[in-house]
């Protein structure tokens, strides 16, 4: 049975099987390759997207459970062609190394800052415990996020 | 929807629909709530079942309701929703700490209370010991009716439940207790805790323990209470250092499970320290009020 979902504001229909992980639908069917797939077990956070506004690891979301729901991927952050303030500050601080972890980190921090715009450094670190950066670029990443919190 | 349509995952729209769909599938089917355990089957080199009934979106199973006497937690309440509903509620500090320490923020948005308690191959559940020491009961729904059983009983029988059985909710009686939850992961997140201790204490006006429940998780295959330690602590002041000493002398009642993450002896050896920390957390919960 096809699954109807709204991805980055657009109605989409997926024909994949009901237990297909959402990450595979996003990447292989709709070519939204921003979200990465690494561990497939909820540990690394590289596949994080927003489902109805909340961050989830899309490797563990079966397609059929997304019927009629709102999915946002990292591609939606610069929808008007202009990077979001979070993306801009990450660029200013030259945070990205290989970039594998980065889309997930942006999605987690985007929703975190919606709730906690003035968060402290320790809270930012706690918010990121589910995002593993194999290049270990945590220091600049947290510096950049803390700078954004100070600015807002 | 009948199983004959061939979809591997049928997403139920109501509790009645889920009960009927599960009955239709019999032993071949199983509930799917947050899916965070089921979707990792390939990593564990396990086969997926031929049929699942999705229950995570059923509104009747997603609310937390509080009266003066009871707290009712729907089976499909996520860890994140549980924290939001119970933060600051008397007696729930340990449970909130359990939900907030488990997994990572994105998984906490997905994994449910019912899924956490029903995963029989998962020894490291944080909610099990936290709810055991709150004397929680579990509501079960089968095609033939419904019943309420103590959580400890569910943990004993969960492998052999009649096919089609759903946990629909968890019920906690509201009592004037202070609770603490202490866990030892080896990393900040992502790995399971090596051992867990939860504690619920009722202190009399004289400062002596009138009632105490201690539960241990992740050390053995299922969480369970520690009645010997409870008996020794009863009637005394809650002194974390004394609790540590008593726990150290009595840990022999646990047989730690072996796994690649930690040897069995280590899981047992850390218990006294976790008892002390759980006692400190329970005392701090009292002092906040
Ligand atoms: C990276 C990671 C780290 C984690 N760390 C921790 C941790 O530290 N502590 C912790 O406690 N948890 C942790 N978890 C969560 C835990 O391992 C399970 O994945 C989770 O609790 C399962 O809940 P679920 O709702 O996703 O269940 P599902 O995957 O949907 O189901 C799991 C099992 O329960 C059954 N089931 C589900 N709901 C019901 C119901 N209402 N009635 C009857 N049967 C039901 C299913 O049929 C299945 O057998 C972690 C998960 C991940 C991915
Ligand atoms: S690929 Fe999903 S959490 Fe690692
Ligand atoms: S930048 Fe390489 S994994 Fe984080």
């Amino acid at each position: 049975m096809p699954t109807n979902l709204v991805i980055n504001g657009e109605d989409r229909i997926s024909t994949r099987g009901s237990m297909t992980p959402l990450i595979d639908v996003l990447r292989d069917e709709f070519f939204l390759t921003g979200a990465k797939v690494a561990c497939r077990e909820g540990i690394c956070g590289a596949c994080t997207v927003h489902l109805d506004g909340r961050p989830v690891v899309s490797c563990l979301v079966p397609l059929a459970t997304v019927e009629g729901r709102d999915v946002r991927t990292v591609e939606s952050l610069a929808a008007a062609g202009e990077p979001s303030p979070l993306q801009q500050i990450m660029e200013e601080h030259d945070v990205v190394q290989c970039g594998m972890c980065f889309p997930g980190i942006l999605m987690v921090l985007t929703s975190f800052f919606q709730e906690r715009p003035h968060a402290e450094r320790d809270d930012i670190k706690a918010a990121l415990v589910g995002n593993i950066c194999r290049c270990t670029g945590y220091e600049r990443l947290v510096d950049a996020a803390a700078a954004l919190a100070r600015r807002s | 929807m009948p199983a004959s349509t061939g979809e591997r995952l049928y997403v139920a729209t109501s509790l009645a629909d889920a009960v009927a769909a599960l009955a239709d599938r019999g032993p071949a089917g199983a509930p799917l709530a947050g899916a965070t355990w089921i979707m990792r089957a390939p990593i564990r080199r396990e086969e997926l079942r031929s049929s699942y009934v999705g229950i995570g979106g059923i509104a009747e199973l997603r609310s937390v309701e509080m009266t003066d006497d009871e707290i009712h937690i729907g089976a499909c309440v996520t860890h994140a929703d549980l924290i939001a509903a119970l933060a600051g509620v008397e007696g729930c500090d340990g449970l909130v700490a359990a939900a907030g320490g488990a997994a990572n923020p994105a998984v906490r948005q997905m994994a449910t209370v019912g899924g956490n308690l029903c995963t029989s191959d998962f020894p490291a559940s944080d909610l099990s010991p936290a709810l055991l020491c709150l004397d929680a009961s579990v509501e079960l729904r089968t095609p033939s009716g419904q019943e309420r059983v103590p959580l400890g009983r569910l943990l004993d029988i969960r492998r052999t439940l009649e096919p089609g059985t759903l946990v629909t909710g968890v019920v906690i009686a509201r009592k004037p207790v202070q609770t603490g939850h202490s866990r030892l992961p080896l990393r900040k997140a992502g790995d399971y805790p090596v051992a867990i201790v939860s504690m619920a204490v009722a202190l009399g006006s004289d400062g002596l323990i009138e009632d105490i429940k201690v539960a241990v998780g992740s050390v053995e295959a299922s969480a369970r209470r520690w009645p010997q330690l409870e008996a020794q602590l009863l009637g005394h002041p809650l002194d974390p250092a004394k609790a540590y000493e008593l726990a150290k002398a009595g840990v022999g009642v646990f047989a730690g499970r072996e796994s690649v993450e930690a040897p069995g002896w280590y899981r047992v050896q850390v218990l006294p320290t976790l008892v002390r920390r759980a006692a400190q957390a329970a005392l701090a919960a009292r002092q906040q009020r």
Side-chain angles (χ1 to χ4, degrees):
Chain A
M1 210 165 68
T3 302
N4 299 285
L5 58 169
V6 184
I7 305 178
N8 298 337
E10 283 179 37
D11 290 329
R12 301 284 197 137
I13 299 173
S14 171
T15 55
R16 300 288 163 110
S18 53
M19 288 291 282
T20 310
L22 177 61
I23 183 72
D24 294 336
V25 173
L26 295 172
R27 290 179 57 86
D28 302 343
E29 194 174 3
F30 299 127
F31 306 110
L32 291 163
T33 54
K36 303 291 184 260
V37 60
C39 69
R40 287 194 186 271
E41 54 178 331
I43 290 180
C44 77
C47 64
T48 307
V49 302
H50 291 178
L51 186 54
D52 293 336
R54 291 171 164 209
V56 296
V57 280
S58 60
C59 63
L60 301 184
V61 176
L63 174 61
T65 64
V66 188
E67 170 70 35
R69 298 173 73 183
D70 185 63
V71 180
R72 299 259 160 195
T73 68
V74 70
E75 284 87 352
S76 70
L77 295 186
E82 193 58 24
S84 72
L86 178 66
Q87 287 172 306
Q88 284 173 26
I89 205 144
M90 293 289 160
E91 193 186 0
E92 278 169 37
H93 282 72
D94 194 15
V95 169
V96 186
Q97 298 182 66
C98 81
M100 184 76 178
C101 64
F102 205 60
I105 286 174
L106 289 177
M107 295 314 278
V108 165
L109 285 181
T110 298
S111 65
F112 174 71
F113 278 130
Q114 277 161 7
E115 282 176 23
R116 308 274 312 275
H118 308 295
E120 300 289 333
R121 221 181 146 78
D122 281 353
D123 302 322
I124 294 167
K125 282 187 176 175
L128 288 172
V129 292
N131 294 85
I132 294 176
C133 175
R134 65 182 177 178
C135 304
T136 66
Y138 299 109
E139 191 68 21
R140 287 211 295 264
L141 172 67
V142 176
D143 285 347
L148 183 66
R150 278 196 304 274
R151 240 181 236 180
S152 52
Chain B
M1 179 190 278
S4 54
T5 58
E7 272 303 338
R8 189 167 217 171
L9 171 57
Y10 168 62
V11 178
T13 51
S14 68
L15 179 54
D17 185 26
V19 172
L22 282 165
D24 198 33
R25 281 155 181 79
L32 178 145
T36 64
W37 183 263
I38 292 170
M39 291 295 278
R40 288 184 288 155
I43 300 273
R44 294 189 300 270
R45 296 173 198 229
E46 291 168 12
E47 290 283 321
L48 282 173
R49 291 204 185 215
S50 57
S51 190
Y52 291 98
V53 175
I55 58 170
I58 298 174
E60 296 148 272
L61 301 180
R62 297 211 46 167
S63 64
V64 178
E65 275 150 31
M66 277 182 266
T67 64
D68 289 345
D69 305 324
E70 270 186 3
I71 300 174
H72 184 277
I73 304 164
C76 293
V77 168
T78 64
H79 286 60
D81 289 341
L82 189 67
I83 297 164
L86 296 184
V89 174
E90 182 174 19
C92 293
D93 306 73
L95 182 56
V96 169
N104 59 49
V107 171
R108 293 198 287 268
Q109 296 286 354
M110 306 162 71
T112 66
V113 173
N116 195 257
L117 301 179
C118 291
T119 309
S120 45
D121 287 339
F122 179 51
S125 152
D126 274 278
L127 299 183
S128 296
L131 286 165
L132 274 178
C133 67
L134 287 172
D135 261 340
S137 309
V138 176
E139 293 174 335
L140 301 178
R141 176 75 69 94
T142 60
S144 48
Q146 55 193 69
E147 61 173 320
R148 211 186 248 202
V149 299
L151 172 59
R153 171 97 185 116
L154 174 78
L155 298 182
D156 287 341
I157 61 169
R158 58 188 172 170
R159 274 178 201 283
T160 53
L161 287 173
E162 184 190 340
T165 305
L166 263 183
V167 167
T168 55
V170 176
V171 185
I172 307 167
R174 295 188 80 170
K175 292 184 205 154
V177 287
Q178 288 76 54
T179 57
H181 185 82
S182 180
R183 64 201 298 277
L184 179 70
L186 298 178
R187 294 170 42 90
K188 280 275 183 201
D191 63 335
Y192 300 138
V194 164
I196 308 170
V197 173
S198 285
M199 192 180 281
V201 198
L203 295 175
S205 51
D206 53 4
L208 303 182
I209 298 174
E210 287 182 343
D211 190 16
I212 181 159
K213 309 274 188 307
V214 182
V216 170
S218 199
V219 172
E220 297 179 342
S222 256
R224 67 172 170 101
R225 294 259 300 275
W226 191 345
Q228 298 87 344
L229 182 62
E230 293 170 2
Q232 287 175 308
L233 290 167
L234 196 67
H236 298 282
L238 181 58
D239 174 359
K242 180 75 183 156
Y244 171 90
E245 292 303 334
L246 290 172
K248 198 170 169 192
V251 286
V253 295
F254 290 95
R257 68 188 165 92
E258 301 289 332
S259 78
V260 285
E261 304 102 47
W265 64 263
Y266 181 65
R267 296 181 193 279
V268 175
Q269 186 159 312
V270 298
L271 283 177
T273 300
L274 295 181
V275 166
R276 187 182 64 219
R277 290 182 191 164
Q280 284 164 340
L283 283 170
R286 180 180 172 82
Q287 281 154 8
Q288 274 163 23
R289 283 172 240 287

